[in-house]
């Protein structure tokens, strides 16, 4: 069995993989995480906006959301992780995906006769309009605010990927 932290993180990444599959997208993963990218998501083949548009994502999970004034306050991004997402100097647009998971891992998924239920919900945030920090201290955290309306669905995931050839969506 995985320890609780790794279990939660793996479920978050698997949640995104399932959503990408439902959206008709292809996902891939580097064999080593050196750039702060957990998954690459792309639309296969030629599209009206170019060939195989793609995005790169860093996946984080949280069991308890801190919601204030229409935004989720996420405090578990260190300066190094933040700097690997912030700014516009990326060839491929990058996003932070936050998956809200149940406190108890036994509630991550349920099977019903009508289908499989994955809990709870995912959110996305582009930091392309944020400046990278002067330091990259892994011990110091950065708060980011994720609008509660930035919900990950198959349609919103397709839209993020489709818009990637024109730069990150906001």
């Amino acid at each position: 069995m995985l320890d609780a932290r790794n279990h939660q993180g793996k479920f978050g990444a698997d949640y995104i993989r399932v959503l990408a599959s439902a959206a008709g997208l292809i996902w891939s993963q580097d064999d080593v995480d050196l750039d702060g990218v957990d998954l690459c998501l792309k639309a296969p083949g030629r599209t009206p906006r170019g060939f195989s548009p793609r995005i790169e994502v860093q996946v984080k999970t949280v069991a308890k959301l801190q919601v204030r004034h229409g935004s989720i306050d996420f405090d578990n991004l260190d300066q190094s992780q933040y700097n690997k997402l912030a700014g516009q100097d990326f060839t491929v647009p990058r996003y932070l995906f936050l998956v809200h998971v149940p406190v108890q891992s036994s509630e991550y998924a349920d099977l019903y006769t009508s289908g499989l239920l994955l809990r709870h919900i995912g959110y996305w945030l582009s930091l392309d309009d944020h400046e990278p920090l002067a330091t990259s201290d892994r011990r110091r955290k950065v708060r980011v605010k994720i609008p509660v309306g930035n919900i990950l669905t198959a349609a919103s995931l397709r839209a993020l990927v489709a818009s990637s050839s024109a730069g990150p969506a906001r």
Side-chain angles (χ1 to χ4, degrees), residues 94-161:
R94 291 189 175 188
Y95 293 89
L96 171 64
F97 284 5
L98 179 66
V99 180
H100 177 213
V101 301
V103 173
Q104 298 297 320
S105 62
S106 60
E107 297 176 5
Y108 286 173
D110 272 317
L111 183 62
Y112 298 97
T113 56
S114 59
L116 177 65
L117 171 68
L118 300 178
R119 291 192 184 90
H120 287 295
I121 193 166
Y123 300 90
W124 63 271
L125 179 66
S126 170
L127 294 171
D128 72 328
D129 60 346
H130 290 64
E131 288 296 320
L133 302 171
T135 59
S136 285
D137 188 342
R138 289 195 162 281
R139 296 168 296 173
R140 298 195 60 161
K141 302 293 181 179
V142 178
R143 172 176 283 178
V144 295
K145 294 181 176 290
I146 304 169
V148 293
N150 286 8
I151 297 172
L152 284 170
T153 64
S156 68
L157 195 51
R158 277 193 303 272
L160 289 174
V161 171

Side-chain angles (χ1 to χ4, degrees), residues 41-134:
L41 306 174
K42 74 177 182 175
R46 192 167 304 282
T47 71
R49 299 191 66 119
F51 195 82
S52 294
R54 70 188 64 220
I55 61 173
E56 295 176 332
V57 300
Q58 185 172 121
V59 181
K60 295 292 184 183
T61 58
V62 63
K64 295 180 183 177
L65 288 182
Q66 298 178 46
V67 180
R68 264 183 274 196
H69 309 294
S71 292
I72 300 162
D73 290 341
F74 182 64
D75 295 322
N76 203 18
L77 201 61
D78 68 45
Q79 286 182 345
S80 178
Q81 293 166 329
Y82 175 89
N83 281 343
K84 291 176 180 177
L85 294 168
Q88 296 184 357
D89 58 342
F90 298 103
T91 304
V92 176
R94 291 189 175 188
Y95 293 89
L96 171 64
F97 284 5
L98 179 66
V99 180
H100 177 213
V101 301
V103 173
Q104 298 297 320
S105 62
S106 60
E107 297 176 5
Y108 286 173
D110 272 317
L111 183 62
Y112 298 97
T113 56
S114 59
L116 177 65
L117 171 68
L118 300 178
R119 291 192 184 90
H120 287 295
I121 193 166
Y123 300 90
W124 63 271
L125 179 66
S126 170
L127 294 171
D128 72 328
D129 60 346
H130 290 64
E131 288 296 320
L133 302 171

Side-chain angles (χ1 to χ4, degrees), residues 17-62:
R17 289 182 187 101
V18 168
L19 194 58
S21 294
L25 302 173
I26 296 171
W27 65 268
S28 62
Q29 187 172 5
D30 291 342
D31 62 340
V32 179
D33 178 5
L34 297 177
D35 291 330
V37 173
D38 293 318
L39 296 171
C40 174
L41 306 174
K42 74 177 182 175
R46 192 167 304 282
T47 71
R49 299 191 66 119
F51 195 82
S52 294
R54 70 188 64 220
I55 61 173
E56 295 176 332
V57 300
Q58 185 172 121
V59 181
K60 295 292 184 183
T61 58
V62 63

